[in-house]
Amino acid sequence: MKYILIILLIALIGVGIFAHYYEFQEENFDQKVIGLCILTFSFIWMPLFIYYRYKDKKKEDFILSNDKLKEMNDFARKE
C-alpha cells in the first residue's frame, strides 16, 4: 500500500507538471488535466493515505477526555 501511494503521488505530480509546461492543441486541455489531477489527489489519494496511516490506531487516542485535559494542564504547569 505504501508503494502504491508513493507511485500514485509521483504520477499525479508528474502529469500535473507535464500538463502545465506542455502546449496542447486543444484549448484549456492543460487546465482540465491539472483539474483531474487535483480531483484524483483529493478524492482517491488522500482517503487512501488517511486509511493507510490510521488503520491500526485506537480512536480513544484522538479523543480529548477530562483525564487527558488534566494531564495536559499538569504538564504545562511543570514547565
Side-chain angles (χ1 to χ4, degrees):
M1 181 72 129
K2 176 181 177 180
Y3 297 111
I4 292 171
L5 287 171
I6 292 171
I7 291 169
L8 185 60
L9 180 65
I10 291 171
L12 287 172
I13 291 172
V15 169
I17 291 171
F18 177 76
H20 180 71
Y21 287 109
Y22 187 74
E23 293 182 19
F24 295 98
Q25 292 180 359
E26 184 182 332
E27 217 173 288
N28 296 331
F29 186 72
D30 55 341
Q31 293 177 357
K32 292 176 186 176
V33 171
I34 293 171
L36 284 174
C37 286
I38 291 171
L39 284 174
T40 305
F41 177 79
S42 300
F43 293 109
I44 294 176
W45 189 86
M46 190 56 95
L48 285 174
F49 176 76
I50 291 171
Y51 172 76
Y52 170 72
R53 291 290 293 173
Y54 295 107
K55 67 181 176 186
D56 295 329
K57 305 288 181 179
K58 297 177 190 172
K59 290 181 187 175
E60 291 81 24
D61 293 341
F62 301 100
I63 298 174
L64 280 176
S65 64
N66 287 334
D67 296 333
K68 287 186 181 182
L69 287 173
K70 288 178 186 176
E71 188 178 307
M72 290 187 329
N73 283 336
D74 293 340
F75 181 76
R77 289 183 186 147
K78 289 180 183 177
E79 293 181 352

